[in-house]
Amino acid sequence: PEPGPAPEPEPTPDPTPGPQPRPPRNDYPPGCINVSRYREIDDDVASIAASIDNDIELSHFYGGVVRLAAHDFMDYDQNDDLDQMGADGCLDWMSLSNAGLSSLWNRGSDLHLIYDAKYSDLSKADFWIAAANAVVRQRSVGGEEGGLDLMNDFFWGREDRAECLGSADRLPTTVSCREVEGVFLERMGLGWRDAVALLGAHTLGRGHK
């Protein structure tokens, strides 16, 4: 009889697979920010900016986001044992020091609508800081390709408060450089390098007569 077909070789078993990377978590507790969520806030800030076709309004948006976060934390006073304040999602909206910020943060503003739709479990303080970091990254030297990325310095967990009367009185005025030293160094505990960095935020936005 004619020989039958040669038997097919047994398949070689695949090598034992190594450890597989974990899929990104989507079950983080409310109020938490992981890497993907931090980047999502960055993307949303960029999307809002891309929808603004007026240079004046765009400068108001970029500068306003950073100013919103800064004026929230710049009322911090390390020497006040009763109420240090700081980043707490609360501003004195009636103060002239915060003039213009209510147009950026109100129930109908793009930034607030994004917060309500996707990030309302976060404190406003955390969201404002993450949004401001996004602006810094997008508008610093290098931009999208290599701007200043503050993600590794970001911590979440700030708590909001409903009232912060007198917070604007702690912000520096334009009287003299002594205000910078008094607020940034003596009250907030920063150094001169930090103070210069914070003052550099004024390169965003636009001036008013």
Side-chain angles (χ1 to χ4, degrees):
E2 294 184 2
E8 295 184 0
E10 293 290 329
T12 304
D14 293 329
T16 303
Q20 299 299 307
R22 294 181 179 179
R25 290 186 57 184
N26 295 320
D27 58 339
Y28 42 78
C32 298
I33 301 179
N34 61 5
V35 172
S36 63
R37 205 172 195 203
Y38 182 91
R39 292 302 187 201
E40 190 173 0
I41 294 173
D42 189 296
D43 290 341
D44 286 333
V45 169
S47 295
I48 294 174
S51 71
I52 302 173
D53 57 5
N54 181 296
D55 286 344
I56 292 177
E57 293 302 320
L58 184 59
S59 65
H60 174 64
F61 174 73
Y62 280 138
V65 172
V66 174
R67 183 169 164 242
L68 184 68
H71 281 210
D72 184 32
F73 68 69
M74 281 169 50
D75 58 9
Y76 173 72
D77 186 349
Q78 64 179 350
N79 305 306
D80 192 326
D81 294 332
L82 297 177
D83 191 357
Q84 292 183 336
M85 294 191 180
D88 51 22
C90 185
L91 297 180
D92 181 356
W93 299 102
M94 302 304 294
S95 171
L96 290 177
S97 297
N98 297 321
L101 289 178
S102 60
S103 65
L104 185 78
W105 187 259
N106 61 73
R107 290 292 181 184
S109 66
D110 289 338
L111 192 65
H112 204 305
L113 291 172
I114 287 289
Y115 173 78
D116 285 341
K118 301 173 63 176
Y119 307 109
S120 60
D121 62 297
L122 305 179
S123 67
K124 294 192 296 291
D126 278 350
F127 179 73
W128 290 351
I129 293 289
N133 285 359
V135 171
V136 170
R137 187 191 69 78
Q138 294 166 24
R139 303 310 302 167
S140 59
V141 175
E144 293 295 332
E145 300 301 324
L148 179 61
D149 193 340
L150 300 172
M151 184 184 70
N152 290 335
D153 296 312
F154 177 82
F155 294 88
W156 53 266
R158 301 165 185 84
E159 297 181 0
D160 290 340
R161 59 191 288 175
E163 294 184 357
C164 49
L165 296 178
S167 62
D169 296 335
R170 297 184 176 188
L171 300 178
T173 67
T174 58
V175 174
S176 69
C177 289
R178 178 70 186 91
E179 288 287 310
V180 175
E181 184 176 9
V183 173
F184 294 155
L185 277 68
E186 295 173 5
R187 294 187 205 167
M188 296 182 65
L190 303 178
W192 281 111
R193 185 183 181 89
D194 304 313
V196 171
L198 281 175
L199 290 173
H202 292 97
T203 59
L204 290 167
R206 62 193 180 96
H208 295 268
K209 294 182 179 179

